[in-house]
Amino acid sequence: MYKGDLLIAHDIHEARSFFQRLRGLTGVHRLSAHAGMYFNHCSAVHTFFMKIPIDIIFMDRSDEIVKVVECVPPGQFSYCRGAAKTLELQAGAARRMGIEPRDRLQFTELCVKAPVARELSFR
């Protein structure tokens, strides 16, 4: 996933099934700098039962960022009217990489993968 020429993340896992979407990053103790979770058709996420804070990036259908919520702690709910996709990244990643509303992210098929059990490389 890129913002212009800047690599944002290369280890993005897509939550496709209902169970994957419900579970998300629950149970993850550490998220690497270039890993995250992607949700298509999603305008709201929760961090209930999570162990770590995360950055939440809400995008519209054209992958333009409409809202960035930084360092969301466990036990919260976040919503963005008009969002169609959501990306969860390591807390602080949005600020570190200069991700802001109106930026456009570019996805590649290589970076968006379906999760396999809990082998996610989020260390």
Side-chain angles (χ1 to χ4, degrees), residues 46-120:
H46 70 83
T47 58
F48 301 124
F49 312 111
M50 289 185 60
K51 310 252 186 259
I52 57 171
I54 58 171
D55 284 356
I56 302 171
I57 300 168
F58 293 99
M59 296 164 283
D60 65 14
R61 288 187 176 104
S62 66
D63 299 329
E64 182 176 315
I65 298 171
V66 292
K67 182 178 179 182
V68 177
V69 186
E70 297 180 37
C71 297
V72 178
Q76 301 294 309
F77 177 81
S78 192
Y79 168 78
C80 179
R81 184 174 179 201
K85 305 170 185 181
T86 304
L87 178 65
E88 298 177 347
L89 297 173
Q90 180 187 65
R95 182 173 302 242
R96 196 171 51 252
M97 296 181 202
I99 298 171
E100 299 177 337
R102 295 190 303 270
D103 287 344
R104 189 173 307 277
L105 298 182
Q106 294 125 5
F107 292 84
T108 65
E109 287 187 36
L110 294 175
C111 77
V112 179
K113 312 167 198 168
V116 179
R118 281 324 264 174
E119 59 78 27
L120 302 174

Side-chain angles (χ1 to χ4, degrees), residues 8 16 23 28 35 38 40 53 64 74 76 97-99 113 121:
I8 300 298
R16 295 180 180 163
R23 187 171 185 184
V28 173
Y38 169 75
N40 198 6
E64 182 176 315
Q76 301 294 309
M97 296 181 202
I99 298 171
K113 312 167 198 168
S121 56

Side-chain angles (χ1 to χ4, degrees), residues 7-12 31-36 89-90 96-97 122:
L7 176 66
I8 300 298
H10 57 76
D11 195 14
I12 301 295
L31 192 60
S32 72
H34 289 284
L89 297 173
Q90 180 187 65
R96 196 171 51 252
M97 296 181 202
F122 294 149

Side-chain angles (χ1 to χ4, degrees), residues 22-44:
L22 180 65
R23 187 171 185 184
L25 294 174
T26 301
V28 173
H29 294 276
R30 188 164 177 247
L31 192 60
S32 72
H34 289 284
M37 181 71 70
Y38 169 75
F39 301 85
N40 198 6
H41 307 293
C42 177
S43 61

